[in-house]
Amino acid sequence: MKQYISFISVVTFFLITALPFPLQAETCSSYHHPVSVRVNINTGKVTYNNSLYSSQFPTKPPHTVTGLTVAQLTTNMTAKLYVQQNSNKTCVGLDELTINIGFPKINVYIDKKYRPGSCQYNVIKEHEKYHVRVQQEGLKFFSPKIKKAFQIAAKKVKPRPLKQNEQPQKVLNNMLAQIRKDVNPLLQYIERRLREENEVIDTKESYIETSKKCKKW
């Protein structure tokens, strides 16, 4: 009866458009404008798997574990750039940013030796449902902070000049890396808080109490 959570690295793509900024501007900062930020929160679909023995669980849990919840908090960002050229330089800025964050799926594993409908199966399932609630409700609770953090991080990204032969994709990657760096402390804090909440019922005392709910394990 253990919970596992991890973060997956960001993936990106870009689309370039041109916007009609004043050509007399001499610095890229002159082209700065608010970034449109959209954050989509996905609490995930829960799938129960009763086809594996605990020794076959994906994270190789201890032999005493009879149930496992695997929830990977995934974050990916897609961005739209604008490009502005004048007689002296080409400037690239962040125009739109979309963030998809959440659990694409939550997999709950229950040891194969406990069949659906049995006392043991029901007790294990109820335990794992607690872990699922922690993940989903925790993500909902932190969603306003997550949205705010990405908005603040995106606001700090300023237009940058393109160097000779430099690809806009490289500039975009640097911009998104800056956003990721700014937001990561919050995501790490959320990960820690979810782990702490999950550990509330993953104690030796909790397991002893759980074992008393069925006559035979």
Side-chain angles (χ1 to χ4, degrees), residues 73-144:
L73 185 60
T74 303
T75 305
N76 67 69
M77 295 188 290
T78 61
K80 181 178 179 181
L81 292 177
Y82 63 80
V83 174
Q84 179 60 41
Q85 294 179 314
N86 59 31
S87 58
N88 297 319
K89 65 181 66 177
T90 299
C91 297
V92 178
L94 192 59
D95 186 37
E96 296 178 4
L97 177 67
T98 300
I99 302 97
N100 296 297
I101 181 169
F103 307 110
K105 58 183 178 179
I106 298 178
N107 292 322
V108 177
Y109 298 88
I110 299 177
D111 197 309
K112 182 179 179 179
K113 65 182 178 181
Y114 303 118
R115 307 313 303 167
S118 67
C119 176
Q120 296 90 342
Y121 179 94
N122 291 337
V123 168
I124 296 169
K125 184 175 181 178
E126 192 61 32
H127 178 101
E128 297 308 318
K129 284 170 68 175
Y130 172 87
H131 290 309
V132 172
R133 288 196 301 272
V134 167
Q135 301 305 105
Q136 294 184 321
E137 294 177 12
L139 183 59
K140 289 179 183 178
F141 175 81
F142 284 110
S143 61

Side-chain angles (χ1 to χ4, degrees), residues 161-172:
L162 274 180
K163 299 176 182 178
Q164 187 174 8
N165 299 323
E166 184 178 33
Q167 295 299 314
Q169 177 70 58
K170 181 179 178 181
V171 178
L172 173 65

